[in-house]
Amino acid sequence: MAFQAKKLINDPNDVVTEFIEGLVETYPGLQYLDGFPQVKVVLRADVSGATYNKVAVISGGGSGHEPAHAGFVGEGMLTAAICGDVFASPSVDSILAGIRAVTGPMGALLIVKNYTGDRLNFGLAAEEAKSEGYKVEIVIVGDDCALPPPRGIAGRRGLAGTILVHKVAGAAAAAGLSLVDVAAEARRASEMIGTMGVALTVCTQPGQVTSDRLGPGKMELGLGIHGEPGAAVVDLQSVDVVVSHVLKQILSPVWTSSWTLEETNYVPITRGNRVVLMINGLGATPAMELMIAAGKAVPRLQLEHGLAVDRVYTGSFVTSLNMAGFSISVMKADQAILQRLDAATKAPYWPVGVDGL
């Protein structure tokens, strides 16, 4: 039976605006752009496009995934985040306003998750910005490993691995690299990541009724971060079984087509490689359960897949409102990527306690 979801909010139409207000009150290094709340852009308080002498790294998308993306604005990571309404791409005008606000002579890199609305609106804003004289590059992130090729009309979805791309690009920009080089590092990082999610419940948007699509004793493999259907609904399993399945899905070869019998890998990871692991809570998963998953994933990566795990990031980075579950991201690492991940940042939600050895 459907029922109205319980949420600690005011007007459901104001949740994004009020989230941004609370965020900038909590973190003085962040501010929102003029035109708020119609234009919902969070940016570094110390950056002005007219004088900024480094590449601006900009991302964003629909809200409901907090702390992504605004929680990762800060020196060494994102310069600005463009916030759409819940699960809705931000408008072209908002994206363009963000580009104008923080982009100096070094240009801007837009990091966009692979969803049709985001690709369309960020792409249109980028073209308009270029016509105004700004230097702009776009990197599309599609790290989803849940669905087999051809992986839908739009291709692989952008998931939690996007945050690792933010970090690599932000560190490269902070080091003073050119726009071409920052974009190249971000693009290379995006090609090294595979992610798959598992959900125990679907999410409920503010003001909407709770869905009962996932009944008692059921879980969904590969559920999208907007509640899109995944690869399969199965009986609830132990975390050992879930972690094992997800890692195999990310790391095992897949058929590119049924008639050519060609195999490929979602990510270019083979035995002996070094990797980074991210355990990402989807919004309603206790830290205890996330840490249990991390503790089971590391030895499986080491013993079953023959990988050296160099870094582990565990927490809630890209959520889906109140969805219970987690995603696992595995990223091929080398010294250059580790250097970017270890670089200092003031982004409030990056896990600064994870350091290299």
Side-chain angles (χ1 to χ4, degrees):
M1 183 177 69
F3 57 90
Q4 191 78 19
K6 296 179 181 179
K7 293 186 180 290
L8 293 170
I9 61 172
N10 297 306
D11 187 331
N13 296 315
D14 294 336
V15 291
V16 179
T17 299
E18 293 182 349
F19 157 73
I20 293 172
E21 290 172 342
L23 185 74
V24 300
E25 291 290 355
T26 302
Y27 299 105
L30 305 181
Q31 66 180 19
Y32 51 73
L33 190 60
D34 291 345
F36 181 81
Q38 285 73 32
V39 173
K40 301 179 180 68
V41 177
V42 175
L43 64 158
R44 286 173 50 182
D46 61 336
V47 168
S48 169
T51 58
Y52 193 49
N53 62 355
K54 294 181 179 177
V55 172
V57 181
I58 301 171
S59 192
S63 295
H65 307 301
E66 292 71 27
H69 299 80
F72 297 104
V73 173
E75 183 180 348
M77 212 160 172
L78 296 182
T79 319
I82 322 297
C83 305
D85 290 331
V86 174
F87 295 170
S89 178
S91 68
V92 174
D93 287 344
S94 292
I95 299 165
L96 187 58
I99 294 171
R100 290 169 176 157
V102 297
T103 304
M106 293 286 284
L109 173 65
L110 309 185
I111 300 175
V112 182
K113 298 193 303 302
N114 189 28
Y115 295 98
T116 302
D118 288 345
R119 292 188 65 160
L120 176 63
N121 289 358
F122 275 87
L124 290 172
E127 291 306 311
E128 177 62 30
K130 289 177 184 177
S131 74
E132 296 178 7
Y134 294 98
K135 295 190 292 184
V136 180
E137 292 278 351
I138 297 180
V139 169
I140 306 295
V141 182
D143 53 318
D144 183 19
C145 297
L147 303 176
R151 303 161 190 157
I153 296 172
R156 295 168 64 187
R157 300 170 292 192
L159 301 174
T162 308
I163 302 305
L164 298 172
V165 181
H166 290 167
K167 186 62 177 65
V168 169
L177 271 64
S178 69
L179 175 59
V180 169
D181 290 339
V182 173
E185 288 204 20
R187 193 168 289 111
R188 177 174 179 267
S190 72
E191 294 167 352
M192 300 292 167
I193 307 168
T195 300
M196 181 174 171
V198 177
L200 306 182
T201 67
V202 296
C203 57
T204 306
Q205 294 195 39
Q208 302 297 313
V209 297
T210 299
S211 170
D212 57 359
R213 187 164 65 83
L214 275 183
K218 297 294 183 180
M219 61 191 302
E220 189 154 7
L221 306 175
L223 193 73
I225 56 173
H226 309 99
E228 310 99 313
V233 175
V234 300
D235 291 336
L236 185 63
Q237 304 288 328
S238 71
V239 73
D240 269 333
V241 173
V242 171
V243 167
S244 176
H245 175 82
V246 170
L247 292 179
K248 287 177 182 176
Q249 180 74 10
I250 294 171
L251 297 170
S252 296
V254 293
W255 299 111
T256 56
S257 74
S258 60
W259 55 276
T260 62
L261 299 181
E262 293 178 351
E263 284 188 345
T264 186
N265 286 71
Y266 285 113
V267 285
I269 296 174
T270 56
R271 298 184 74 87
N273 287 162
R274 303 161 68 184
V275 298
V276 167
L277 171 68
M278 173 178 278
I279 306 293
N280 171 62
L282 294 176
T285 309
M288 176 184 288
E289 295 177 23
L290 297 178
M291 289 300 175
I292 291 171
K296 301 305 178 185
V298 171
R300 286 193 179 276
L301 286 169
Q302 295 168 330
L303 300 176
E304 294 184 14
H305 298 278
L307 302 172
V309 182
D310 282 345
R311 303 287 184 276
V312 181
Y313 303 102
T314 302
S316 294
F317 306 102
V318 180
T319 64
S320 185
L321 294 170
N322 61 334
M323 183 182 289
F326 60 78
S327 65
I328 298 179
S329 300
V330 183
M331 179 184 195
K332 185 178 181 180
D334 56 25
Q335 199 53 46
I337 282 178
L338 293 175
Q339 181 180 0
R340 298 303 187 207
L341 294 176
D342 291 342
T345 179
K346 294 183 179 178
Y349 283 90
W350 178 255
V352 294
V354 180
D355 292 321
L357 300 177

